[in-house]
Amino acid sequence: MITIDMLCYYSKLRYMNAMEKFTYAMLTLLFCVVSRSLVLAILVLIVNGILTVNKGGIPFSRYRHYLTIPLAFLILSTLAVIVNISRTPLDAFAFQIGSYYLTGSYASLYKGIQMILTALASVSCLYFLSFNTPMTDILSVLKKLHCPDLLVELMLLIYRYIFLLLDISFSISVSQDCRLGNRDFRTSMKSFGAMASVLLIRAMAKSGALYDAMEARCYDGRLLVLDEQYSPKSREIFWIAFFEILLLILTIWSKLR
Amino acid sequence: MNETPILKAENLYYTYDNEKSHSLNGFSLEISQGKKVAFMGANGSGKSTFFLCCNGINRPYKGTLYYRGKPYDYSRKGLLELRSKVGIIFQDPDSQLFSASVYQEISFGILNLGVSAEEAQKEVEQVIEKLEITPFRHKPTHALSGGQKKQVSIADILVMHPDIIILDEPAAALDPKHTVLVNKIVNQLTQDGITVLMSTHDVNYALEWADEIVLLHKGQVLMHGSPLDVFTNKEMLEQTNLEQPAVLQLFESLCKKGILDASLPLPRNLSTLEGYIENIHTISK
C-alpha cells in the first residue's frame, strides 16, 4: 500500500464526515491563499498539525517528513525572490563577489518567508484531507458537489488500478532482479522497457476482464454504488465554523492593514 | 417428475480465434435446479468459456443455451435479466473488484438491479454479516488478503440473489484456512437452494461436495454423472488428467488387501472410511 493511502485508513479522523473535512480543508486553503498573512499561515500550520498528529494519530515523524518534501522545493524556488545579484547592496544582507553583490532586501525576505509559510499552510490543508480521508470518501464528496459522473468514475477506476498495476510492476521487478535484470545501467534500461510494455499489455487485459466482470453484474454504463455515510456532528460543525470565521476576520484584517 | 432443467446447453460452439480452434466444441449439458455441480477437466478444456457463456458474456456462434426452458435473449434487456439470475464469481478477484471500498464494491450489483438505495443498504449489510466480512469491511480492497478478496467477490454476487451461482476455481491460490472458509460459504449457498456450478481441480472436495460431476475434454462433455460414477471411471479420469480421490484409492487398496469388504458402499469422505475401519476394529474385539 502507498503510505499516504495507508495512513488515511488508520487515521482516527477517518470516520468523521467527509464533507466536513473537505469543507474545512478547502475553506482554510482558500483563506491561506487569499490573505497571504503570516499570522494566519502560522495559525493554520499549528492547527492542522494538531489535528493531523494529535487528533488523527498520524505519527509526527511521518507528518514532518511529508511537510519537508514541499519545503525543499519552496526554499529553492523562493531563493529567486529573496536573492538578487546587484551592483548595489540591499538592506538585509549583501555578499560581495567581485564588483557585484549577492544581496537581498528586508521586503523581499519578508515576501519570501510569507510565500513559504502560505504555501506550507496550504499544503498542510491538503495533507489534512489526504491523511484523514480515504479516496473513496473524497470521491463521494465530489459526487455530492455534482462533479461530472464520468470524471468521478474514472478517478475511482484509476485509483483502484494504481494499486493493481503497482503490484504487477513490483512482482515483475522482483523477477527481473532474481535473474540479474538490473545488473547495470544497460540491463536496467532494457528491463524497465520490457516491464513497461508488459504492464501496458496486462493493463489492457485487466481492463477487459474488469469490464466483463462488471457486465456480469448488470453494468449498464453507470457505476452505481452506495457510499458509507458518517453523519456530521454539531460540535465538529461548530468548531469548523468558529475557526473559519476567525480566519475570515484575520483575512479581512490583513487586507485592511 | 420430469422437471425443466434450470440451465441447458445444446451443441454449443465457441472460438476465441476465428474458428481455428474451438474452446467449446459441440458442448451439450442439462443442469437441474438446486444441484451442486462440479466442472472438472484439464486447463483449456472449456470450463471458463462455458461459464462466461452461461452469464451471456460469451455468445456461442453455434448452438443454444436455455434458462428455465427459454432460449437466451441476447438483447440488452434480456442480458440484464439473465445476469440478475445467473451470477459468476471470477477466478481472479482482482479482475472483479473495481472499487477501493468493500461497501461500494458489494453495493454495485444490487443497485444495477434497480433496487432502492435503502433496500440495497439493508441487503449489503446482511451479506456483509453473513459472509463474515465485518472485520475488514472498512479496509480498502487493495489491502485485503486473497481469501478476503474472494469473500468480497462472492458477496458481490450473493447480494443480487441469483438462482445460479458460478464459481470459477474458488479455491485457486488460497491457503488452506481460506479454502475451508470459501468451502463453508459455498455449502451455505447450496443450503439456501441456489444452484451452484463450480470448476475445481480438487477431486477430494468434488467427491464430497458435488451432486454431479461434469468432466470436460477439448470443449466437450466427456462424462456427466454422480461423483462415484465419475471417479470410479479411471479411463475417463486419465483422459482429463485427473486422479482418483484419495479416499477411493485408499478404500480400493484396503479392499484388495482384504481389510475391508468390497461390497461396502463407496465412501465419499474420510470420515465414512474411518467409520468402516472402526467397525472392523469393534467386530474383531
Side-chain angles (χ1 to χ4, degrees):
Chain A
M1 261 175 104
I2 294 173
T3 317
I4 294 183
D5 189 67
M6 187 185 73
L7 288 176
C8 72
Y9 279 99
Y10 293 112
S11 164
K12 288 180 206 157
L13 294 177
R14 183 194 159 179
Y15 299 111
M16 186 180 162
N17 182 275
M19 187 59 102
E20 278 181 35
K21 285 184 279 190
F22 187 83
T23 312
Y24 165 80
M26 289 303 123
L27 278 179
T28 311
L29 175 68
L30 186 75
F31 286 128
C32 283
V33 174
V34 171
S35 77
R36 303 281 173 108
S37 154
L38 271 182
V39 181
L40 189 139
I42 291 167
L43 179 69
V44 168
L45 265 175
I46 292 170
V47 171
N48 279 346
I50 291 170
L51 285 175
T52 311
V53 177
N54 284 34
K55 295 280 176 191
I58 306 297
F60 177 69
S61 54
R62 280 265 164 90
Y63 187 63
R64 192 187 53 197
H65 167 73
Y66 279 105
L67 269 185
T68 51
I69 299 170
L71 187 66
F73 287 105
L74 281 171
I75 289 173
L76 283 174
S77 52
T78 318
L79 277 177
V81 177
I82 298 172
V83 181
N84 288 297
I85 298 169
S86 159
R87 282 183 184 278
T88 49
L90 297 171
D91 50 357
F93 61 89
F95 302 103
Q96 195 171 4
I97 306 164
S99 58
Y100 286 89
Y101 287 93
L102 201 64
T103 181
S105 66
Y106 281 115
S108 62
L109 204 60
Y110 178 80
K111 183 111 182 141
I113 293 169
Q114 187 190 39
M115 268 177 66
I116 289 176
L117 283 175
T118 305
L120 262 189
S122 306
V123 167
S124 77
C125 295
L126 295 178
Y127 277 167
F128 167 79
L129 189 66
S130 50
F131 283 162
N132 299 299
T133 321
M135 188 63 180
T136 45
D137 290 359
I138 296 176
L139 292 180
S140 73
V141 170
L142 291 178
K143 221 184 220 176
K144 278 183 199 146
L145 294 174
H146 300 290
C147 193
D149 281 345
L150 180 69
L151 201 68
V152 177
E153 287 169 10
L154 264 178
M155 284 164 79
L156 181 81
L157 293 174
I158 289 169
Y159 175 67
R160 167 87 181 109
Y161 266 69
I162 286 172
F163 294 95
L164 266 186
L165 296 180
L166 266 180
D167 271 354
I168 297 172
S169 65
F170 179 72
S171 40
I172 293 174
S173 167
V174 167
S175 97
Q176 286 176 340
D177 281 345
C178 291
R179 288 173 285 157
L180 306 177
N182 294 308
R183 195 179 64 233
D184 51 34
F185 183 71
R186 197 182 150 85
T187 51
S188 296
M189 292 307 285
K190 207 174 161 193
S191 297
F192 180 77
M195 182 169 75
S197 62
V198 169
L199 263 185
L200 179 72
I201 295 164
R202 294 265 185 101
M204 301 280 283
K206 285 261 176 203
S207 69
L210 180 79
Y211 186 74
D212 282 351
M214 284 162 66
E215 284 256 286
R217 284 194 280 162
C218 306
Y219 173 62
D220 202 17
R222 276 189 69 205
L223 277 180
L224 299 170
V225 286
L226 285 178
D227 294 310
E228 282 195 279
Q229 303 289 339
Y230 309 113
S231 42
K233 292 186 179 127
S234 46
R235 198 167 62 96
E236 288 162 357
I237 295 173
F238 168 78
W239 282 112
I240 291 170
F242 174 78
F243 185 66
E244 297 307 330
I245 290 168
L246 182 69
L247 293 187
L248 178 67
I249 294 166
L250 275 172
T251 305
I252 295 168
W253 174 71
S254 67
K255 290 287 166 195
L256 292 177
R257 217 162 35 127
Chain B
M1 201 169 73
N2 191 14
E3 252 183 59
T4 313
I6 191 164
L7 198 72
K8 184 179 166 188
E10 209 174 67
N11 205 25
L12 302 183
Y13 284 84
Y14 189 86
T15 175
Y16 287 102
D17 52 4
N18 296 325
E19 298 184 34
K20 280 179 193 150
S21 64
H22 290 88
S23 297
L24 295 181
N25 195 11
F27 186 102
S28 296
L29 182 71
E30 283 188 13
I31 289 161
S32 307
Q33 185 162 1
K35 293 285 183 198
K36 301 176 270 183
V37 187
F39 284 73
M40 309 193 83
N43 292 336
S45 58
K47 302 183 293 286
S48 299
T49 307
F50 173 63
F51 288 166
L52 291 174
C53 287
C54 291
N55 187 265
I57 299 283
N58 287 350
R59 184 175 181 172
Y61 75 88
K62 208 169 138 191
T64 316
L65 270 156
Y66 298 87
Y67 174 74
R68 294 192 188 278
K70 284 185 188 164
Y72 272 26
D73 170 8
Y74 288 94
S75 68
R76 192 75 208 150
K77 194 176 158 232
L79 282 176
L80 288 179
E81 203 177 321
L82 171 76
R83 287 165 185 166
S84 70
K85 301 290 175 205
V86 182
I88 180 166
I89 294 148
F90 289 79
Q91 186 179 343
D92 176 14
D94 277 330
S95 299
Q96 187 176 322
L97 311 180
F98 70 89
S99 174
S101 148
V102 169
Y103 190 79
Q104 279 191 352
E105 180 63 46
I106 299 174
S107 68
F108 175 68
I110 191 162
L111 284 174
N112 286 336
L113 298 181
V115 167
S116 70
E118 290 75 28
E119 203 182 320
Q121 210 171 338
K122 219 169 74 185
E123 292 283 352
V124 171
E125 291 294 344
Q126 270 176 13
V127 83
I128 283 177
E129 186 74 29
K130 190 175 178 182
L131 297 198
E132 299 171 26
I133 289 170
T134 315
F136 56 90
R137 65 177 288 174
H138 293 300
K139 273 190 177 181
T141 47
H142 49 263
L144 302 181
S145 70
Q148 290 169 336
K149 280 181 188 168
K150 194 62 104 180
Q151 274 171 271
V152 175
S153 56
I154 296 175
D156 280 351
I157 303 302
L158 201 56
V159 76
M160 295 168 77
H161 298 294
D163 292 341
I164 301 175
I165 287 190
I166 299 168
L167 296 121
D168 197 354
E169 293 187 35
L174 294 186
D175 60 29
K177 186 189 154 198
H178 282 102
T179 305
V180 169
L181 187 71
V182 168
N183 290 346
K184 196 178 126 192
I185 295 168
V186 172
N187 288 340
Q188 272 179 24
L189 301 181
T190 48
Q191 277 163 18
D192 294 344
I194 299 171
T195 307
V196 182
L197 315 187
M198 181 205 285
S199 71
T200 178
H201 294 293
D202 186 344
V203 284
N204 299 307
Y205 179 67
L207 172 68
E208 190 174 351
W209 170 79
D211 295 325
E212 292 170 13
I213 305 278
V214 179
L215 284 188
L216 270 74
H217 185 60
K218 292 184 178 170
Q220 285 179 328
V221 175
L222 194 66
M223 191 177 179
H224 180 192
S226 75
L228 289 174
D229 284 345
V230 171
F231 287 127
T232 46
N233 192 328
K234 286 182 184 170
E235 197 188 319
M236 293 289 180
L237 290 178
E238 204 172 304
Q239 271 197 62
T240 47
N241 296 344
L242 291 171
E243 282 191 355
Q244 213 176 24
V247 68
L248 291 183
Q249 285 185 34
L250 185 58
F251 178 74
E252 202 180 287
S253 166
L254 292 173
C255 288
K256 270 184 191 163
K257 285 175 182 161
I259 299 168
L260 284 179
D261 181 359
S263 64
L264 282 168
L266 290 168
R268 284 184 66 173
N269 50 42
L270 279 173
S271 58
T272 312
L273 186 61
E274 199 183 344
Y276 292 168
I277 297 167
E278 252 177 29
N279 279 345
I280 309 168
H281 189 65
T282 322
I283 293 163
S284 63
K285 267 187 179 177

